[in-house]
Amino acid sequence: MGKPAGYWVNKIRTSFKGGSSSSKSSEDGSASGSRKSDSKHRKNQRTEEGNKNAEAGVVQAESGRKVMVVVDTTSQSKNALQWALTHCVQDEDNITLLHVTKTPIGQGVDETQRERNSRAHEQVHPLKNLCQLKKPNVKTEIVVVETAEEKGKAIVEESKKQGAGVLVLGQRKRTSKWRVIWKRRTKAGMGGGVVEYCIHNSDCMAIAVRKKSNNGGYLITTKRHKDFWLLA
C-alpha cells in the first residue's frame, strides 16, 4: 500500500533544508524528566527521519554547497529561483545563476560574443538582485554559457564544471499534446526536453519546479519524485 501524500511531501521538504523536525505529539508525549533521556530521544528522532529520507531516495542537503539555478527571462525561471531561495538555499551556500544561450546561426557579425554575453548578463541581473535581497549573506554569481549544442547537455556539463551540489530548473505546465509527444520521443529513444534531460543526466540532484496557478504552492519533480505538491 502506498504512503499518504503528506508522508512523501514531508520527506521532500526536509531533504532540501538538510534538517528534520520533531513532531509536537512526540514532544508532548515525552514522559521522562531527564535531560539526558530527552536528548537521546531527539537524536533517535533525527536518525529515524534521516533513514526515512534515504529510503525515499532523497539526498540530504549539506551546508556549503553550490546551488545552481538555470535562469532566463521567463516567469518559470523566476518562480524556480524564488522556490530555491525559500526552500533550498542556506546561508552557508553559494548561488550560481546559469544562463545558457544558443550560438546564433546564419547571422552577421554585427554583435560579438562578448557583446552577447554582456546583454545576457543584463537580462538576468534582476534575478541576482532578488537573491541579494532575499539572501544578503549568500554569495551570488551569474554564469553565461553560449553553446551550439543542445541546452540540456550544456547545462549538465556546466553543472559538473562548476561543482554544483543542487541543480534547480523552472518547468512549464505540460499540455496533453506535449505529454503524448514526450512519451513517443521517450519510447523512440529520443529523450524528452531540456528539463527531463537534466534530471536524468545530472551528477548532482536536479530539481524541476513549477508554480501552481490556482491553489498555490509548487510541483516538484526529481529523478525519483514526480509532481509532488509543496505548499509555498
Side-chain angles (χ1 to χ4, degrees), residues 103-114:
T103 303
I105 300 176
Q107 297 184 7
V109 291
D110 296 338
E111 190 177 39
T112 65
Q113 183 175 355
R114 176 176 295 182

Side-chain angles (χ1 to χ4, degrees), residues 9-107:
V9 168
N10 288 334
K11 294 184 184 305
I12 296 177
R13 186 187 297 278
T14 56
S15 70
F16 298 138
K17 284 293 186 181
S20 59
S21 60
S22 303
S23 64
K24 187 177 186 298
S25 60
S26 64
E27 293 174 356
D28 294 340
S30 177
S32 172
S34 168
R35 180 178 299 178
K36 181 177 180 180
S37 177
D38 289 343
S39 177
K40 182 177 180 181
H41 179 64
R42 288 192 294 268
K43 182 177 180 180
N44 289 339
Q45 282 187 318
R46 289 194 294 268
T47 302
E48 181 181 357
E49 183 67 27
N51 291 337
K52 288 179 179 178
N53 286 331
E55 292 171 2
V58 181
V59 179
Q60 285 278 2
E62 296 180 356
S63 299
R65 307 158 303 165
K66 176 171 286 188
V67 179
M68 177 174 284
V69 184
V70 180
V71 296
D72 49 36
T73 58
T74 64
S75 60
Q76 291 84 10
S77 169
K78 185 175 181 179
N79 291 337
L81 177 59
Q82 289 177 325
W83 174 87
L85 292 172
T86 303
H87 296 277
C88 185
V89 177
Q90 303 176 63
D91 288 341
E92 300 82 2
D93 295 336
N94 295 322
I95 302 173
T96 297
L97 303 179
L98 175 63
H99 184 40
V100 178
T101 63
K102 296 288 289 185
T103 303
I105 300 176
Q107 297 184 7

Side-chain angles (χ1 to χ4, degrees), residues 69-195:
V69 184
V70 180
V71 296
D72 49 36
T73 58
T74 64
S75 60
Q76 291 84 10
S77 169
K78 185 175 181 179
N79 291 337
L81 177 59
Q82 289 177 325
W83 174 87
L85 292 172
T86 303
H87 296 277
C88 185
V89 177
Q90 303 176 63
D91 288 341
E92 300 82 2
D93 295 336
N94 295 322
I95 302 173
T96 297
L97 303 179
L98 175 63
H99 184 40
V100 178
T101 63
K102 296 288 289 185
T103 303
I105 300 176
Q107 297 184 7
V109 291
D110 296 338
E111 190 177 39
T112 65
Q113 183 175 355
R114 176 176 295 182
E115 290 172 335
R116 292 194 297 270
N117 285 347
S118 177
R119 178 162 51 86
H121 271 83
E122 292 177 1
Q123 289 176 342
V124 298
H125 198 270
L127 298 179
K128 181 177 181 179
N129 292 339
L130 177 62
C131 293
Q132 294 172 335
L133 177 65
K134 296 289 186 179
K135 295 287 185 178
N137 297 325
V138 175
K139 179 182 177 182
T140 303
E141 64 174 346
I142 297 174
V143 174
V144 176
V145 174
E146 183 177 296
T147 180
E149 59 185 11
E150 293 295 328
K151 281 191 175 183
K153 186 176 181 181
I155 292 170
V156 169
E157 290 179 350
E158 189 64 24
S159 69
K160 293 178 182 178
K161 178 181 176 181
Q162 295 284 338
V166 181
L167 177 64
V168 181
L169 308 98
Q171 189 172 40
R172 293 182 176 87
K173 183 178 180 180
R174 302 183 183 94
T175 63
S176 299
K177 182 179 180 181
W178 188 95
R179 285 194 292 266
V180 171
I181 294 175
W182 181 77
K183 288 181 180 179
R184 289 177 179 175
R185 287 174 60 89
T186 301
K187 290 181 179 179
M190 299 173 65
V194 172
V195 173

